Amino acid sequence: MTAATIRVFLADDHEIVRRGVAELLQAQPDIEIVGEAGTVAQARGRILATKPDIAILDVRMPDGSGIDICRELHATAPHIRCLILTAYDDDEAIYSAVIAGAAGYVLKDVRGSGLLESVRRAAAGHSLLDPSLKRRVEQRMRDVHSDDPRIDALSKRERQVLALIADGLTNRQIGIELSLAEKTVKNYVSGLLNKLGLQRRTQAAAVQWETHPPERA
């Protein structure tokens, strides 16, 4: 191993996918696989323990999303660059990746050479998100006005839950933070999404960030 070696962590619930990606990357002299995980819970602890340069994260896993991990790492360990692995090439996937602070996203049907290039570019500090698509996402966020009247319809508890969603917490973590049962938190999340006219947590997080922009270091 040399000083230029790129340390990579893989998180995907499909073992065959992990094995294939690991074999491809590990065969490169400048890339080292430092850890793997098949669930969000496993990935959280292992990523922080292995300190990779790049975390390749599947969007959908049994107990959550790689988007949630990316958002947490962006806030607590911004030196770890995240690549979101997805089977869907759509605006929602891009939108989620952008607001989570990902370096980019990679389709699961990407050629091996394309994945290698993505890892190396991300490790070099480049954004892999297409500039025009990124602008579209940023415009969507600006379209949510800071005086959004929908916020006024939320109860005090719903606003607390919304703020914690924007911080990247899972329902279980929100329950611990607010001393609520996880099922109760789930009900609050469903209620606030309904009041906001939204379908996804990432959309709710964007509303919170627009009305209460996070402080930047």
Side-chain angles (χ1 to χ4, degrees):
M1 186 177 71
T2 68
T5 298
I6 301 170
R7 297 165 53 82
V8 177
F9 188 97
L10 301 175
D12 193 297
D13 62 325
H14 293 96
E15 182 182 356
I16 293 178
V17 173
R18 290 202 315 273
R19 187 174 299 173
V21 173
E23 289 180 356
L24 172 68
L25 298 181
Q26 195 71 50
Q28 306 303 306
D30 60 333
I31 298 176
E32 177 192 10
I33 302 299
V34 297
E36 299 181 24
T39 67
V40 169
Q42 292 173 349
R44 282 194 172 100
R46 293 178 185 177
I47 290 175
L48 294 178
T50 56
K51 298 181 173 67
D53 301 304
I54 302 292
I56 299 178
L57 310 169
D58 188 15
V59 169
R60 294 179 175 85
M61 285 185 275
D63 57 340
S65 168
I67 294 291
D68 295 329
I69 302 174
C70 178
R71 187 180 302 111
E72 294 169 12
L73 292 175
H74 187 61
T76 61
H79 58 283
I80 300 176
R81 307 272 287 169
C82 296
L83 289 178
I84 303 301
L85 192 62
T86 176
Y88 306 96
D89 185 12
D90 58 36
D91 281 2
E92 192 60 42
I94 300 169
Y95 181 77
S96 299
V98 170
I99 64 177
Y105 75 104
V106 179
L107 296 180
K108 287 191 174 181
D109 61 358
V110 66
R111 295 177 66 87
S113 59
L115 178 59
L116 292 173
E117 179 184 5
S118 296
V119 169
R120 289 173 176 136
R121 288 186 60 199
H126 300 296
S127 173
L128 308 184
L129 296 166
D130 183 274
S132 64
L133 293 176
K134 188 173 181 179
R135 285 194 294 271
R136 283 164 53 191
V137 172
E138 291 170 345
Q139 183 60 51
R140 282 180 61 181
M141 294 181 70
R142 286 194 293 269
D143 287 343
V144 182
H145 302 297
S146 60
D147 57 350
D148 195 325
R150 294 176 297 176
I151 296 295
D152 295 334
L154 301 183
S155 67
K156 179 180 179 181
R157 182 65 84 185
E158 287 171 335
R159 294 187 191 191
Q160 292 175 327
V161 172
L162 177 59
L164 294 174
I165 288 176
D167 286 340
L169 273 65
T170 64
N171 286 353
R172 177 174 298 181
Q173 292 171 326
I174 292 173
I176 294 174
E177 184 74 18
L178 299 179
S179 299
L180 297 172
E182 186 174 353
K183 183 176 180 180
T184 300
V185 174
K186 184 177 180 180
N187 290 336
Y188 276 121
V189 172
S190 297
L192 70 87
L193 287 177
N194 183 60
K195 289 182 181 179
L196 294 173
L198 303 174
Q199 296 179 330
R200 299 176 178 84
R201 294 169 70 96
T202 52
Q203 295 172 322
V207 171
Q208 173 69 12
W209 294 334
E210 186 67 23
T211 55
H212 299 83
E215 296 182 359
R216 301 296 182 187

